[in-house]
C-alpha cells in the first residue's frame, strides 16, 4: 500500500471515530437520566479495559512492560482527566459551550507539539485552524450567549488534556501497539473513575439504573472506548497529533446530526453555516497535506 493510500486509511479511522462519538454523545445524555456521571464512567472504562486486555492478551501486557511506564502513563492520565472533566462539565454548563471548548485541541495540539515533540509550529495551517474555531463557535454557540464559569473551565481542561493525549500518544505509539495503548488508557481511566465514584457517589445508585441506560453504557464501553481508542491510536501511527485534532473537529458536526435524529434538537442557520465551514476546512487541509506529500515524494525520486 502506498504512503498516500495509507494516509487515507488513517483519515478514515478518525472519521469513523467521529461517527462513533457523534452517536455516543446524545446516547450519553439519554443514559444520564438514570445513571450518575461517575458510575457511568467507572462501569464503562472498567468493562472496556477488561475487554481490551482479554483481546490483546499477553502481547499487550508484554508491550506495556517492554515500553516502560513513561511510554503509556502520561497520555493515559491525560485521557482520564479529559473524560472525567468533560462529563462533569456537562452538569455545570450547556452542552453547546462544552462542545465548543472541548474541540479546541485543534489549536492546543500544534502548540504542545512544539514543546513535547520539538516540532516547528505549522504557521501555514494557522488560517485553517482559526477558521475551524470560528466554525465551531457558529455551530455550538451561534444564536446564544457564551459565558465562562466552572463548567467552561472544566471544558477547557478537557481540551488541553485531549491535546496532551494526542501529542504524547504520537510520541509513544512506535513502542506500543494500538490495542496495548488503548488498554493502558482505559485501565488508568477506570481506576481513577472507580475511586472517584466510591468516594463521591452512592453505590446504591447502581440499583436504580434503567435497562436502557445499561445498554448505553455497553455501547460507550465497546464502541466509544474499545473501538474508538484503537482507531485513534492506529491513526496516530501515520498522522500527526495536529492532523488528528483537526479531523476530530467533525465530531460536534456529527453530534449535532445524531442529536437531531435521536433527540429532536435542531440547528439554526448559524449552526448549519458553522458545520459547513468545519467540513470545508477539514477537506481543504487534508487535500493540501496530501498534495504536499506527493510533491515531496516526487522531488525525492527526481
Amino acid at each position: 500500500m502506498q504512503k498516500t493510500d495509507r494516509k487515507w486509511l488513517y483519515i478514515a479511522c478518525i472519521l469513523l471515530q467521529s461517527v462513533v462519538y457523534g452517536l455516543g454523545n446524545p446516547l450519553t445524555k439519554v443514559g444520564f437520566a438514570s445513571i450518575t456521571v461517575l458510575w457511568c464512567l467507572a462501569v464503562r472504562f472498567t468493562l472496556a479495559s477488561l475487554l481490551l486486555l482479554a483481546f490483546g492478551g499477553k502481547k499487550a501486557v508484554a508491550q506495556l512492560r517492554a515500553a516502560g511506564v513513561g511510554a503509556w502513563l502520561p497520555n493515559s492520565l491525560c485521557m482520564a482527566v479529559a473524560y472525567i472533566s468533560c462529563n462533569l462539565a456537562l452538569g455545570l454548563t450547556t452542552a453547546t459551550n462544552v462542545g465548543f471548548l472541548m474541540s479546541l485541541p485543534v489549536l492546543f495540539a500544534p502548540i504542545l507539539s512544539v514543546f513535547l515533540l520539538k516540532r516547528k509550529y505549522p504557521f501555514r495551517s494557522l488560517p485553517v485552524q482559526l477558521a475551524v474555531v470560528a466554525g465551531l463557535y457558529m455551530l455550538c454557540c451561534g444564536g446564544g450567549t457564551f459565558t465562562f464559569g466552572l463548567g467552561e473551565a472544566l471544558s477547557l481542561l478537557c481540551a488541553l488534556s485531549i491535546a496532551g493525549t494526542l501529542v504524547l500518544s504520537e510520541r509513544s505509539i512506535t513502542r506500543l501497539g494500538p490495542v496495548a495503548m488503548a488498554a493502558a488508557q482505559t485501565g488508568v481511566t477506570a481506576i481513577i473513575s472507580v475511586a472517584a465514584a466510591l468516594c463521591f457517589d452512592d453505590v446504591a445508585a447502581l440499583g436504580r439504573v434503567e435497562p436502557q441506560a445499561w445498554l448505553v453504557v455497553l455501547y460507550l464501553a465497546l464502541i466509544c472506548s474499545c473501538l474508538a481508542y484503537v482507531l485513534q491510536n492506529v491513526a496516530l501511527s501515520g498522522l500527526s497529533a495536529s492532523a488528528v485534532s483537526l479531523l476530530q473537529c467533525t465530531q460536534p458536526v456529527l453530534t449535532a446530526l445524531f442529536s437531531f435524529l435521536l433527540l429532536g434538537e435542531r440547528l439554526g442557520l448559524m449552526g448549519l453555516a458553522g458545520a459547513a465551514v468545519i467540513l470545508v476546512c477539514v477537506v481543504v487541509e487534508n487535500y493540501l497535506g496530501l498534495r504536499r506529500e506527493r510533491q515531496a515524494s516526487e522531488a525525492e525520486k527526481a
Side-chain angles (χ1 to χ4, degrees), residues 1-261:
M1 186 181 291
Q2 296 181 354
K3 186 175 180 180
T4 53
D5 293 332
R6 288 199 302 270
K7 184 166 183 179
W8 279 116
L9 175 63
Y10 300 139
I11 291 172
C13 286
I14 297 301
L15 294 179
L16 178 56
Q17 183 196 47
S18 292
V19 173
V20 165
Y21 283 150
L23 177 58
N25 290 335
L27 285 179
T28 301
K29 188 174 181 179
V30 173
F32 281 169
S34 66
I35 188 170
T36 62
V37 173
L38 291 178
W39 279 120
C40 178
L41 290 169
V43 175
R44 167 187 176 177
F45 285 103
T46 299
L47 179 58
S49 61
L50 292 175
L51 289 172
L52 284 167
L53 285 174
F55 177 76
K58 295 181 179 179
K59 183 179 179 180
V61 175
Q63 288 178 339
L64 291 172
R65 287 179 176 175
V69 175
W72 53 265
L73 184 58
N75 67 69
S76 297
L77 288 173
C78 285
M79 184 72 82
V81 172
Y83 272 89
I84 293 172
S85 59
C86 173
N87 282 271
L88 291 175
L90 286 170
L92 297 170
T93 187
T94 64
T96 54
N97 285 5
V98 174
F100 168 63
L101 289 169
M102 71 177 292
S103 298
L104 290 182
V106 69
L107 290 182
F108 298 147
I111 297 172
L112 290 179
S113 295
V114 173
F115 297 100
L116 298 178
L117 303 180
K118 309 303 180 183
R119 184 175 292 160
K120 292 182 179 180
Y121 186 84
F123 285 101
R124 61 186 173 185
S125 298
L126 185 59
V128 174
Q129 292 169 347
L130 294 176
V132 167
V133 173
L136 286 168
Y137 184 83
M138 293 165 65
L139 172 66
C140 299
C141 305
T145 58
F146 185 82
T147 57
F148 197 92
L150 179 57
E152 285 74 20
L154 287 169
S155 301
L156 197 59
L157 175 62
C158 173
L160 284 168
S161 300
I162 291 173
T165 299
L166 294 174
V167 174
L168 292 170
S169 296
E170 182 189 349
R171 186 175 64 181
S172 302
I173 198 64
T174 55
R175 289 181 284 167
L176 285 168
V179 175
M181 180 75 81
Q185 292 168 336
T186 54
V188 170
T189 306
I191 292 171
I192 295 175
S193 298
V194 169
L198 290 173
C199 292
F200 304 110
D201 214 331
D202 183 9
V203 178
L206 291 173
R208 298 189 291 270
V209 179
E210 299 291 335
Q212 67 176 11
W214 285 124
L215 291 176
V216 169
V217 172
L218 188 62
Y219 174 85
L220 295 175
L222 293 175
I223 309 301
C224 290
S225 298
C226 293
L227 177 61
Y229 278 32
V230 171
L231 288 172
Q232 178 173 290
N233 291 327
V234 168
L236 284 167
S237 66
L239 298 175
S240 69
S242 300
V244 170
S245 65
L246 177 65
L247 288 165
Q248 287 178 338
C249 289
T250 56
Q251 287 181 25
V253 177
L254 291 163
T255 296
L257 173 62
F258 286 115
S259 294
F260 168 72
L261 295 175

